[in-house]
Amino acid sequence: ISLNGGNNYLEEINEILENKNIDIEINEQLSDKQLKKLKRELQGILKTKDECGCEQYALKVDIPGVFFSFKENREIYLYRNEIYKIGITCRKQEGRYPNGLEDLRLRYKIEAKGSRIQMLMIEKIKLYNYRFLPENIKRKQPLILPPGNKIYR
């Protein structure tokens, strides 16, 4: 796990992730307040029921156009391959999106596989890191979360 800075929160988060065999970078631009919140949320995830065979996925734009941003409560234009939503499921794509994604102009991309707890932690970190992605930073008004995500969960 590649983490920068000597911050105690980063060290504690690093320890949590190592104990769960998770290899993911945390953006060094997160504030102490955000890192403290992330650490608390990861500790909360450790208390949840675990199961095997889960996926962390991203819904990516297949056909560019206007999409609704739930967190921002406004429409936003997304280009091909930009992230619309970050999520997890233990029911595979067919169980999570039984009606498919073609009509929504999106595609399902598996980014990690593992236990439910591992996937929840990876999802959480990717949601926190989203604001620093190049696709988001280039916007006139960068988003806090991907448009399809309502909350950090």
Side-chain angles (χ1 to χ4, degrees), residues 59-68 75-82 84 100-108:
L59 294 184
K60 295 205 167 196
V61 174
D62 210 22
I63 300 172
V66 175
F67 291 81
F68 189 75
E75 290 184 334
I76 183 165
Y77 190 89
L78 294 177
Y79 295 93
R80 183 169 166 72
N81 294 323
E82 287 190 326
Y84 176 71
L101 295 164
E102 294 78 26
D103 291 345
L104 300 174
R105 301 173 288 143
L106 301 169
R107 74 178 177 289
Y108 184 96

Side-chain angles (χ1 to χ4, degrees), residues 101-151:
L101 295 164
E102 294 78 26
D103 291 345
L104 300 174
R105 301 173 288 143
L106 301 169
R107 74 178 177 289
Y108 184 96
K109 181 176 185 295
I110 298 169
E111 297 186 323
K113 291 183 178 189
S115 75
R116 183 172 185 274
I117 286 177
Q118 287 173 321
M119 297 306 99
L120 285 168
M121 288 183 171
I122 289 171
E123 174 195 39
K124 180 75 64 184
I125 291 166
K126 287 189 176 198
L127 289 171
Y128 272 84
N129 284 344
Y130 176 79
R131 67 180 66 210
F132 304 109
L133 291 180
E135 73 183 52
N136 188 43
I137 291 172
K138 73 179 182 186
R139 294 188 175 99
K140 286 183 182 180
Q141 293 180 301
L143 305 173
I144 294 171
L145 288 171
N149 290 93
K150 297 176 186 173
I151 58 173

Side-chain angles (χ1 to χ4, degrees), residues 40-103:
R40 188 175 63 248
E41 291 172 355
L42 292 175
Q43 288 172 326
I45 289 170
L46 288 172
K47 297 174 186 171
T48 64
K49 181 181 172 244
D50 205 4
E51 60 184 288
C52 297
C54 298
E55 300 171 343
Q56 183 276 309
Y57 65 89
L59 294 184
K60 295 205 167 196
V61 174
D62 210 22
I63 300 172
V66 175
F67 291 81
F68 189 75
S69 173
F70 292 100
K71 181 77 172 167
E72 306 286 328
N73 197 27
R74 65 182 168 96
E75 290 184 334
I76 183 165
Y77 190 89
L78 294 177
Y79 295 93
R80 183 169 166 72
N81 294 323
E82 287 190 326
I83 296 170
Y84 176 71
K85 181 178 181 179
I86 295 170
I88 74 142
T89 184
C90 298
R91 299 179 294 154
K92 310 286 183 235
Q93 178 179 351
E94 298 76 24
R96 180 68 180 93
Y97 298 100
N99 297 326
L101 295 164
E102 294 78 26
D103 291 345

